[in-house]
Amino acid sequence: PAFRMCTSPATYIRSAHKAILGERTIPDSEEAISQLLLLLEGSDSIQNVLSLDRMRGRMIVRMRDIGGKAFEQVVQRSQQTVASLFEELPLDVHVTGTPSVAYRGTNRITSDLRNSLTFAFAVIAILIGLLFRDIRIALICLVPNAIPLLAGYGLMGAMGWYLQPSSALVFTVALGIAVDDTIHMMARYREGLVDGLSNHEAIHHAVIRCGNAVLITSLVLCVGFGVNMLSAFQQMSVLGALGTIVIFAALLCDVFVLPALLSLFGSQDAGQNSVRETGEFNPNE
């Protein structure tokens, strides 16, 4: 279904046969085919698909842009089909062309970005654990940072999209934003605990202090990415949809999921071990 046009020596032989005899078919005899090729010998078009010594031919297939991964699957299926068709003939068949090379490079870049994203996620988790000196906090922070990425991958699977360098870049940006918001929330949460607040008061303190900033920045980014959904270029439209969904999921996770996890697994007695020097904390400040 992705193929739009196919041109080969047979295409020009049929066209020449129709011009002479009115039949758009390939003649049955080799002599008739040779005569038609002789008539076409001076044409630039036939030289694009057939060498002068007639030892090499080319089938030019044009197709719509279906993405690097899908293109690779089409190439594999085409190679299998051609091999089965020509297995009894003394022919060597290869897939060539600039798009084939370009898509292989694109797929390699995408694979590298995916591996880098996984590595970055692991490094971020370790750094958060070292920063807050608490492995439990590091594990809690993994959840709200992982859910947006899973939401993005789920959207791609549901829509039939393939991972491209542009979409992989969205995951990188979203991970950075989610981690940044998480660190801000956790820093305010720890401040509340140090000031002698209970676990629930510290969570409320963090949401009040950071919630508005996280909300505004995330919504602005969602609108910025969402504009790309209006593009007629598919890759830009996919970029906009993914960016909007992933960043909005990161917002929900930082505002709702992270406080819920802290409420369940946070420090229940930390606030009782610290004493504020002056006054009582007002969560509405």
Side-chain angles (χ1 to χ4, degrees), residues 244-267:
T244 302
I245 294 298
V246 173
I247 293 176
F248 187 72
L251 168 65
L252 296 179
C253 288
D254 283 321
V255 175
F256 295 103
V257 176
L258 180 59
L261 292 174
L262 291 174
S263 177
L264 293 174
F265 306 107
S267 300

Side-chain angles (χ1 to χ4, degrees), residues 66-74 103 107 114 162-164:
I66 58 176
K69 196 68 175 179
F71 181 85
E72 187 175 308
Q73 294 175 358
V74 169
Y103 275 125
N107 291 336
R114 182 171 53 244
Y162 291 95
L163 189 64
Q164 300 286 342

Side-chain angles (χ1 to χ4, degrees), residues 65-140:
D65 186 5
I66 58 176
K69 196 68 175 179
F71 181 85
E72 187 175 308
Q73 294 175 358
V74 169
V75 168
Q76 292 176 354
R77 291 199 302 269
S78 299
Q79 287 177 327
Q80 295 172 357
T81 302
V82 171
S84 64
L85 291 174
F86 295 149
E87 61 181 354
E88 298 180 358
L89 299 177
L91 295 175
D92 294 327
V93 183
H94 308 280
V95 177
T96 63
T98 302
S100 180
V101 177
Y103 275 125
R104 282 202 301 268
T106 299
N107 291 336
R108 187 171 303 171
I109 293 173
T110 302
S111 178
D112 291 341
L113 287 172
R114 182 171 53 244
N115 295 335
S116 299
L117 184 64
T118 304
F119 178 74
F121 190 82
V123 170
I124 288 170
I126 294 173
L127 291 178
I128 290 177
L130 294 176
L131 176 64
F132 294 103
R133 297 185 179 89
D134 191 338
I135 187 64
R136 179 176 53 183
I137 293 298
L139 294 176
I140 289 175

